[in-house]
Amino acid sequence: MSDSKKTSYFSSGFTLGILGGGQLGKMLLYETRKWDIATKVMDPSKDAPCRLACNEFVQGNLMDFDTVYHFGKNVDVLTIEIENVNIDALEALEKEGVEVYPTPRELRLIQNKITQKLFYVDHGIPTAPFSRFAYTSEIDDSLDHGGIQLPFVWKSAQFGYDGQGVKIVRNRSDLRDLPNVECLTETLIPFKTELAVIVARSRNGSVVHYPVVEMEFHPEANQVEYVLCPARISDKVAKKAIETALRVSEALEHVGLLAVEMFQTREDEVLVNEVAPRPHNSGHYSIEASFTNQFEQHLRCILGLPLGNTDSKVAGVMVNLVGAEGHEGEVYYENIEKILSLRGVTPHIYGKSVTRPFRKMGHVTIVNEDMEEARKIAGEVKRTINVISKMKV
Amino acid sequence: MSDSKKTSYFSSGFTLGILGGGQLGKMLLYETRKWDIATKVMDPSKDAPCRLACNEFVQGNLMDFDTVYHFGKNVDVLTIEIENVNIDALEALEKEGVEVYPTPRELRLIQNKITQKLFYVDHGIPTAPFSRFAYTSEIDDSLDHGGIQLPFVWKSAQFGYDGQGVKIVRNRSDLRDLPNVECLTETLIPFKTELAVIVARSRNGSVVHYPVVEMEFHPEANQVEYVLCPARISDKVAKKAIETALRVSEALEHVGLLAVEMFQTREDEVLVNEVAPRPHNSGHYSIEASFTNQFEQHLRCILGLPLGNTDSKVAGVMVNLVGAEGHEGEVYYENIEKILSLRGVTPHIYGKSVTRPFRKMGHVTIVNEDMEEARKIAGEVKRTINVISKMKV
């Protein structure tokens, strides 16, 4: 790419394509607007959060070869905000000179959780022991013969977005509810906490990483409830988590962000759980807390710009806003005014008109000079705001 | 307004109207998108920065009664990002139940610089001595009779946006270039520095203020070159500036933001220069540096939400990006990649396709734990980036 083309990110004649128009894309669009970078977004839903703020919005099936191919032909750089896209089309586009980041090779490896697991094993990256199955129905046999033991974590090989496709299996009857698909089972690791490190790697090869964050999960919904940055862990464990994340990054040679999710075991070992090749829920705190937020950083990576400083200005805690149980219908953010009166509280509303139990509807960031205070306020936020529907009887 | 209507800011059925679609409106739209608040924007230019990210964009003349009136009839709350709008239309809308903030009364008072000056005098608010003239041509007479002395500051009564409408007159020939309009002349105050305080006042009457910022002006263009927060002044002067700004705020009973620009004289007196009833260039640093940025704060005010914390997370310096002299045509941001490699540097590109000498094309914020370091990097930013047109011969 010539220099004159490179600088045109900031003027006319350059278009960034984004596959997926959900909340991650929406937050990426704040940054493209900030830098006046022209964007074209495709999403299957005409009401996708990205329908505004892009220069062109296209409704289309992200898994369809022709749709993705034709969309990508008219952009200069193509990125994604969701992994489940037609990778064959991305490969064809890449061959024809479109810059696709993350690369199709990287996406193919990550999209299938079995391939991802084998990649960790091949590169000596610590991860929980696992077994692979062509169909969920084959697991019974393996239990019969002692190949695996209850309880375990079941993961579908494909389409594991947003807590779907992952299930803790405690007894055989839990297996009955699962789809009969290619899958893996993973030893249930008793862990102290979950950690994540976002690594940013530019297309020119330079690498920076964000601080280690700590994730607290909702015990039932298997969704993150709080993300804390920095994680409240020892320097030794933090160092280990960062080294592990950088090893994954180096082995993968990704371009763009890579969110590396890890378990901190009871023995203070660090095991890689899974990775996401894009801006990630565990990095949302960075909008308010970091010198360079993850969305701007992703742009810097895929456009080959110098990477930004990943330090935090203040401590940050993020609370996911998910639909309350028992509520389905037009969304209502009960008590949102109340949380706005708390110090350092910023709600982000994704703009989905309908709420469903555990659906990600937004998030709230709490920043403070002091982490303990931020976490305390985050608890208050969590107890105060409710994502409900008034249509409930 | 009923509670159910109030909470609908965050769901469907509520629309915020914005008169003016320039850079201030564009930055306000980041916040409406963050909270998924539906917006309708009107601007005379079809290529206005706000054409994206609003729910509906209307091209129209902001000074035309019918155009403004019909635009405003279909929104719930109406705000402005530029003072020069048809106030008669706003008054009609207000009478018919549209919530208009800033109020037409407040806008009328501010829109005319003579009325604004008389307001300060009436309320005992310190300001530079001045004389008023129905026409610029009458100034000669006053000079002849010793009514005023050279040099002085000439200000047109109307339309004083963005450095236009203000001129330092050092000799009689300077007067020849000025439009023959209603105007005032102001004693040229030898000042140490210019300060500004942004006061936020909610429609429910609660008030908060941002820290005092310090402004460094370009010596010729009469445009701000650097804004520093916090100002490098004594606590005593800071206290005086804040008290003065709060007095203006209280007297004006504004709703929304009020940016109060002041001179710090050689004797450490504080004189009010002028005010702006909206998000202001002197508050752009707040996007990166403050707990609550000025645009979110403006929304909080006009929607009657609790006001946000105005503390800074880090020191901030803002550099205006204005078109270089001798360049007119399609804009090119020379060396923007270079400034992106400096620590804590965030460029904002407003998205105007054509540059002209001294036209505001964007700004850059530099944040740092240490103000001296931030100011140093800001100087480097200023020396490095150039807003030019390649079409120059």
Side-chain angles (χ1 to χ4, degrees), chain A residues 292-307:
Chain A
T292 311
N293 75 56
Q294 65 165 345
F295 299 97
E296 180 183 320
Q297 196 75 280
H298 185 68
L299 281 185
R300 287 176 180 246
C301 290
I302 65 175
L303 301 181
L305 298 166
L307 297 185

Side-chain angles (χ1 to χ4, degrees), chain A residues 216 223-227 281 284 318-322 350 360-364 382 385 387:
Chain A
E216 286 184 41
Q223 279 185 321
V224 178
E225 263 196 317
Y226 300 100
V227 174
N281 193 264
H284 288 350
M318 189 214 55
V319 177
N320 278 318
L321 289 183
V322 299
Y350 298 155
K360 278 189 191 166
M361 300 300 289
H363 75 263
V364 182
K382 186 87 194 163
I385 191 166
V387 183

